Amino acid sequence: MKENGYYEEIEIKEDALWAEVIIDLFNERIRVEDYRGSTSLLIEKVQFLTRKHHLHKTIVKARQAQFLSLLSNGYECEALIPSYFNGDDAFFMVRYEEDQRRYSEQYVKESQTLRAVQSIEKGDEAVESSLYNIRKGTNADSENLSKLYKEVFSVYPTPLHDRAYVSSLLKKDYLWYVAEYKGEIVSAASADVNIMYHNAELTDCATLPSHRKAGLMKRLLLSLEQELTKSQIFCLYTIARAQSFGMNVAFHQLQYRYYGRLVNNCYIYKTLENMNVWVKNSDKEIVF
């Protein structure tokens, strides 16, 4: 078991079940990243952990063959990621333990925002500017990165305010790109690479308010995409704040496609928020 102040990673091994589970204490949810074997036994184990840790939401990343079994056991599909499992789709199957966690006052407004985003013309070009230096992040940037996330987000679903945590990610399968202005990191984005399933989550997108009109995020995301493609990582996705017009526009314009919304998914910015799932599969011909 791996553990920090925010979450615990556990592996369930039974004769009829294998599962990789994250007990997300900070966000009061449990996430099943993958499983093989008995769905009924998985549900039993997950419900035990949910009660034990007083969690309010369960998310199972399910394969197509597991979809109907979870659906018949009271789970519902909120989103999906095509090609997530080395070409097989991943369905976000969810279950709620309380009405308050299931209900969202912002859902209709966010749907209107989404329609406005999708009406904007697409184009993956990014504005170039000699004022900014775009480069790959290194372990030496951990302190400045944690400082950036503290300034942009008063609340974040992972402990990016902690320099040691950021440093640990930079030493693993995380890939970071940063934008510097006069030697200061003013914008950053990362890719959490899943080597086993050949996908990557583009995440941790942050820009200081005074630099948000410079088009930095698109440049950072394009740099990450180019780096990932070199490593044959073709399934790219992000989970973006549904309330953030700018972030959703950035991914829409970079040819990502909307594939659902996770309700009250995590604590970010100030409170629990809904998150939009955007996906790009460069190994498939998808008509946008």
Side-chain angles (χ1 to χ4, degrees):
M1 176 187 293
K2 295 181 180 179
E3 182 176 347
N4 59 38
Y6 275 54
Y7 59 85
E8 301 175 12
E9 299 177 17
I10 66 173
E11 185 179 22
I12 298 174
K13 287 184 176 181
E14 303 281 348
D15 290 343
L17 174 68
W18 172 87
E20 181 184 344
V21 177
I22 296 177
I23 302 169
D24 191 342
L25 303 170
F26 181 79
N27 295 298
E28 299 169 325
R29 63 185 181 176
I30 189 166
R31 291 158 39 205
V32 179
E33 294 296 295
D34 193 10
Y35 82 96
R36 296 189 297 271
S38 170
T39 298
S40 59
L41 183 56
L42 173 76
I43 292 171
E44 178 185 322
K45 296 287 185 181
V46 165
Q47 288 179 338
F48 169 78
L49 291 169
T50 298
R51 290 191 298 268
K52 178 181 177 181
H53 296 282
H54 308 289
L55 306 176
H56 304 141
K57 182 174 183 177
T58 298
I59 304 173
V60 180
K61 287 180 182 172
R63 300 165 191 265
Q64 186 170 4
Q66 300 160 336
F67 177 90
L68 290 178
S69 181
L70 286 162
L71 192 68
S72 66
N73 278 280
Y75 283 72
E76 57 185 299
C77 183
E78 285 189 334
L80 72 139
I81 300 177
S83 297
Y84 179 91
F85 293 113
N86 286 327
D88 291 334
D89 300 344
F91 298 83
F92 284 77
M93 303 299 291
V94 305
R95 172 187 168 116
Y96 294 89
E97 303 301 328
E98 58 174 28
D99 288 337
Q100 185 177 355
R101 185 68 180 248
R102 179 67 182 86
Y103 175 69
S104 171
E105 292 182 347
Q106 300 296 322
Y107 201 91
V108 172
K109 182 179 179 181
E110 290 165 354
S111 293
Q112 294 169 347
T113 299
L114 176 65
R115 287 194 290 272
V117 166
Q118 293 176 319
S119 69
I120 295 173
E121 184 177 353
K122 295 183 180 181
D124 59 4
E125 72 281 352
V127 178
E128 293 293 332
S129 173
S130 59
L131 297 176
Y132 298 92
N133 177 38
I134 306 295
R135 63 170 177 82
K136 188 184 296 187
T138 69
N139 193 46
D141 297 315
S142 56
E143 182 173 357
N144 288 329
L145 281 169
S146 62
K147 178 182 176 183
L148 171 70
Y149 291 111
K150 283 179 185 177
E151 191 163 344
V152 174
F153 298 105
S154 57
V155 177
Y156 202 70
T158 58
L160 289 181
H161 296 175
D162 183 350
R163 174 188 175 183
Y165 179 76
V166 173
S167 179
S168 71
L169 295 180
L170 284 162
K171 293 174 182 177
K172 295 167 64 177
D173 293 325
Y174 257 69
L175 175 66
W176 240 293
Y177 264 83
V178 302
E180 289 180 315
Y181 178 76
K182 296 182 179 179
E184 178 189 4
I185 293 178
V186 297
S187 184
S190 74
D192 183 2
V193 182
N194 188 320
I195 298 297
M196 178 179 292
Y197 296 123
H198 295 87
N199 64 56
E201 179 185 1
L202 274 63
T203 184
D204 304 331
C205 301
T207 303
L208 292 179
S210 57
H211 295 271
R212 287 181 182 166
K213 294 184 179 180
L216 296 174
M217 192 51 60
K218 288 180 70 173
R219 293 178 64 187
L220 292 173
L221 293 172
L222 283 170
S223 296
L224 285 168
E225 284 188 18
Q226 292 165 6
E227 193 78 21
L228 291 164
T229 300
K230 292 177 186 177
S231 301
Q232 285 73 56
I233 304 294
F234 301 123
C235 176
L236 310 178
Y237 70 97
T238 192
I239 302 176
R241 292 177 60 224
Q243 295 182 33
S244 175
F245 182 82
M247 281 309 309
N248 286 279
V249 166
F251 283 101
H252 168 72
Q253 290 187 318
L254 290 174
Q255 310 298 325
Y256 286 72
R257 191 174 188 180
Y258 172 78
Y259 276 100
R261 190 175 314 153
L262 301 172
V263 174
N264 289 325
N265 188 64
C266 57
Y267 286 97
I268 187 168
Y269 193 55
K270 294 180 180 179
T271 185
L272 270 174
E273 291 199 19
N274 302 337
M275 305 293 282
N276 286 340
V277 176
W278 294 87
V279 185
K280 177 189 282 189
N281 285 297
S282 55
D283 63 335
K284 286 188 174 183
E285 292 186 3
I286 298 179
V287 178
F288 289 86

